[in-house]
Amino acid sequence: MKVSKLVKLGLLAGASMTFLSACGNSGGSSESNSKEIVFWNPFTGADSANIKNMIDDYNKTNPEFKVKNVSMKEGDMYSKIPTVVNSGKNIPDLNIVHAERIKQYKDNNMLTSFEGLLEDYSEIKAENYVPEAWNLGELDGERYSLPLDIHNWGTYYNKELLAKYAPNALDDNILTFDEIVEAGKLASKDDIRGIALTWVKPNYMATLGQEGGQLSENGIDPTLDTEESKAAIGKWNELYEEGVSTKDGEDPNQLFLSGKLLFLPEGIWLQNIINGAEFDWGLTNAPQLSDDMSQVINWSSSHQFVMFNNEDRSDEKTKGILDFIDWVRTNSLEWAKAGQNPATLDILNNEEYQKMPQSFFINSEEEQNTLKIFDYKYNGYVSEYLESHGFDALFSKVSIEDFTSGLQKEVSDKISKDNTNK
Amino acid sequence: MGTTMTLDKKKSKKITPWLFLAPHLIIFAIFFFIPVIFGIYISFTNWDLFNTPTFIGLDNYKELFFNSDSTFYEQLRIGLKNTFKFVIFSVPFCIAVPLLLASALNTKPKLAKIFQSIFYMPSLFAISAVVIIWKLIFNVNYGPVNNILNTDTPWTGTQPYAWIALVVVTVWWTIGGNMIIYQSALSGISKDFYEAADIDGATAVQKFFKITLPAIKGQILYTVVMTTIAQFNIYGQPLMLTEGGPNNSTRVLLMYIQQNAFGSGQSIAGIASAMAVVLGICIMCVSAIQFKFLKVED
């Protein structure tokens, strides 16, 4: 074989190897001995700039371990996590996950406990965080996560339309279903929608809680085909049947921004979009069954810091991770600018934060108590069903009974495949 | 010495083609062959992606085919039915429309190149961008379709409009690929045939069916099979445009597979893999039948 031929073949093989190796490590963990904390998070929306700014600010403080931001799509991140943790390679040093995922990860022995690691961080303690966001990180007496925020569901409203159709509805800052129906009927005469039928999961779960129901009584088996469950989904279906809600196929955000919608139940994180409205708007609690403040429930979730098991994570790096989390505790204003409510109570001392619409959910203990995180281990299965079939029930395409019995059956069948309870 | 050189030559002759094939073979093995084998193995297990897969033999398949009380039995039934429906509704249009456009462009009208670019351009878009465009077009309140027709039809939320919307979007998105194949095939047909047909007094329709179609039968077979396989893998359009609704009527099998394997809840990868294997077998069977019926006679 001629030398030139050998060179050509060598180049060919080399090129193919190079191509294949390029398909490999992307955004994986840093080397165990590197001075870098690889931080995976699902912030790819409007909040991606805020998390990047926060990390830049932290890195400017010249910490021993700088944070490398790796934001990826939520679905991609949750698909990658089991793969990297199982393989033991490219495990991120620090991760943000949603509150609802933590029990599942813990039961699969994937999480590193913070027990014993917080001794040098006396301010990372329950008293300094919103209780609902802090408490869920403690499972079987051990701490597996630390909270970044508590983001919840509320109701945006058009102040001009409110003054016209329901001037006294929000005197107590509680919007009841009865008030929605009353205002919606008046508004519909002028071709204005009373309320938007939006993301079914938070609407259903909050109302289920208000009805006195729960996703599961024992934490494993679902209790979703109950009278409370039927009443909860039925309450939202009633709004459609009464003709006071948005119709099938309508875009709630578009209607709200064009001044054709009075109440928009949505997440506090939507403010970047709502800010585009050319009218005065306000933010209040999510729709309630009762105007008794002690009965108010607002669906919430939380972004939590977790560390997945990684034998290569050194004690020094773990300390670097906790330094960062402790810094976030007193430097969360940037995260609030994304429309979020930081979980740290330190934020309450910030004047700029106090002017933000979402701050009222954290400002008083009374309001903090309305925030409820539904951290049922199989919340994901419930979500899947609600997202697939919720609007069919809301728009009367299936009966309430069929909807709840289907919900119970599907979630039960999926749970039966899980070996971690056996 | 001479013998050694001959042996070296023989060896290099044997090894050279494999070295050229190596990049493709390596990629084929890593991204297709190994995942397929692994997927088939997973279909015989109960696995959540976290823990070690538990071998359960044919249990997943028994549940999918014989346990009528199971959610997964129902999912397979609904998913396969809707997938087949979509294939039946969309493939004829995905073949006929590009063929007609290619035939029209083959007559070299004015601005042919511009029209060709316009027809081909949607193929370059990501499905998410395509769906965003069409969601705006079908928007109940502000969409041009309802404005022109003066209706308030929820196109993506009621039947039969949801299927119509899905087919329209799919045809618009996929016109380009097949059209280019047909154009190159049509340009290869000798003009002598058409001139002879003109002399015999054949109409345009007769020329199309008697000359054009038989001449590009091979390309039609290829595009029918490839388009069918592509449409069996329908996922993005119903996921984003109709979200599987109304009442599961456009929820296709890949949506169930994805949700079971990589949904919000803990993964049920065993069942999802079994569903994927069933879908794969269906695609192979349909492709084999198509080859049988459309086979070009040597």
Side-chain angles (χ1 to χ4, degrees), chain B residues 135-162:
Chain B
K135 265 196 155 177
L136 291 170
I137 291 169
F138 288 127
N139 185 291
V140 174
N141 304 102
Y142 307 102
V145 175
N146 273 350
N147 263 317
I148 291 163
L149 299 175
N150 198 24
T151 63
D152 56 356
T153 306
W155 286 89
T156 57
T158 48
Q159 290 294 19
Y161 307 113

Side-chain angles (χ1 to χ4, degrees), chain A residues 86 108 381 397 409 413 417, chain B residues 49 51 63 69 71 157 266:
Chain A
N86 275 335
N108 284 292
Y381 293 154
K397 292 174 189 174
K409 183 174 182 295
D413 283 357
K417 300 289 170 195
Chain B
L49 301 184
N51 301 295
E63 181 157 5
D69 289 334
T71 292
Q266 185 147 318

Side-chain angles (χ1 to χ4, degrees), chain A residues 175-195:
Chain A
L175 178 67
T176 64
F177 281 95
D178 291 342
E179 286 166 337
I180 292 166
V181 172
E182 195 180 330
K185 283 187 171 170
L186 284 174
S188 64
K189 290 174 185 169
D190 298 331
D191 200 28
I192 302 288
R193 307 279 181 269
I195 186 164

Side-chain angles (χ1 to χ4, degrees), chain A residues 129-137 150 300 302 304 368-369 371-375:
Chain A
Y129 290 91
V130 176
E132 187 72 0
W134 176 264
N135 294 340
L136 71 91
I150 180 155
S300 305
S302 171
Q304 301 261 327
Q368 282 180 31
N369 291 337
L371 305 179
K372 182 169 170 58
I373 296 174
F374 294 78
D375 61 339

